[in-house]
Amino acid sequence: MTTLELLTQCAWKSSVLLGAGFAASLLLRRRSAALRHSVWVACLAASLALPLAVVKLPRWAVLGRQGTVAVVPSTSVVAAAVSAAEPIPAPVPWNVPLTIWASGTALAGLWFLVGILGTSWMVRRAAPGGDAADLARSLGIRRRVRLLHSDAAPMPLTWGVMRPVVVLPRTAVDWPASRLHAVLLHELVHVRRLDLLAQAIGQAVCCLYWFHPLAWLAARQLRIEREQACDDAVLALGIPAPEYAGHLMDMVRAMADRTAWNQSVAMAEASGLELRVRALLDRKRDRRPLNRWKAAAIATVGVAMLLPMGALSETPVPPQARGSLTGTVKDPSGAVIPGCTVVAHAGDGNSEETATTGAVGQYTFNSIPSGRYTVTVEARGFVIFRAPVVVPAGSAAQLNANLTLGSVSQAVEVRGSKTAPVVPPAPGPKRIRVGGNVQQTKLVRQPRPVYPPELQQLGVEGVVSMRAIISKEGVPTNIQVLSTGVDERLIAPALDSVKLWRYQPMLLNGEPVETLTTIDVTFKLGQ
């Protein structure tokens, strides 16, 4: 998957996640702002984690075929065959869509970076403004929170995650004690809720999906719910709603002519003042904070949405080209063999086709996917035939199979004892099962090997393995000894005996043919 394909998939998948956030926010409009804020954090975090999920998770592709939809592992999707005559597009010097995407991300990141640097510059030059440690501890904040004053601060704001600070305007020294207490409570609630970290997630989503209106709308909604959740927390701490709303309006009036390029969490913004004041004065409003169980449930739902969205892959696959395969199966004499099993295994190992030869020994695979196959032909009495073949798109391929006869084997055991040789009764002829047009062969004369008495007295045992060719006259020829660790004194009596064996030769279509055989002669002392 190319980088552009990855980002494109993340873009439409983020639309689903962010759309789910708007739907959930609408359904939870009568619930607390803290709950809605956590929903937005989960949706934005899932959108930000999408690229990693798409890369790391096993992908599943949605394929459409003849009006149906199927979900299959994307690794099993067989790409359509491309004609050799189809022109290959010339490579472009650079990826224009990816360049535009990266440029937009860089510009959005630069816009946020300017605000971050401006806020950092203001915080570094701010003067100490007192101690809020007791108030922070009363809110359950274990981190040290510094209180600063700055002429550059347009309004009260919070900065920093690991080392948080609360920055107040220089005019805060003239504020009434009630306003200062309410403002500090609001900013310390931001610190306790880690709202600056949630804001950073929203900004990162806006950078990654800078062109996506839902990303910016979601980040804006995150800020609205954040401030309302903090307002609810301040009211829960005992601040009267009318008094707190008056403090908000006074601070907005003071900042009417001031602007600042900062990315901090500020207490008051003129754009959302009316909505916040109406929420503050609504006595029926749900102001319950977010508990651990609700947070865990929202996080679980976010992960449950992220995992399938990350694994799902929109892989449009064109209709696969198809072809056909046919051929004839014959024996060594040139006669056709009916009833053979023919299996065509696809080159990717994910599918196979099976057919049977007819009365004239011919098989046919009609309308199979084009590509590389391995064809296997099996018939009783013959060696399994395997051969590769390529089925071209829109045409027929042909593969004929000429089978060879299978080999036969014989085994005989010679028993003896240290006192007297023991000769077991001669076994009956061993029939070899073959099929097709092959007639059976059998052993018609088998002189028993002689177990040398001196070797019996010495306790010498062993198995002499041999390979031979049964001639058309039924005589073993080209006898070769295969055993390597057997006593050499046992080889001579075994060879002398096998040379005298006689077979009824194998008949192929009524004619005798040579056959390969293996023979094992076992010399073993009796009990």
Side-chain angles (χ1 to χ4, degrees), residues 48 151 187 212 340 460 518:
L48 187 61
D151 292 331
E187 299 303 325
H212 205 315
C340 298
V460 177
T518 57

Side-chain angles (χ1 to χ4, degrees), residues 443-448 474-476 479 493-503:
L443 188 62
V444 296
R445 192 175 70 180
Q446 186 187 32
R448 303 294 299 174
V475 178
I479 303 175
L495 283 174
D496 293 341
S497 174
V498 170
K499 290 177 181 179
L500 300 177
W501 289 9
R502 292 297 179 265
Y503 291 83

Side-chain angles (χ1 to χ4, degrees), residues 450 452 454-455 458 460 464 486-494 523:
V450 177
E454 63 274 13
L455 298 182
L458 295 175
V460 177
V464 180
V486 68
D487 193 301
E488 294 184 356
R489 290 172 292 181
L490 296 176
I491 296 177
F523 294 89

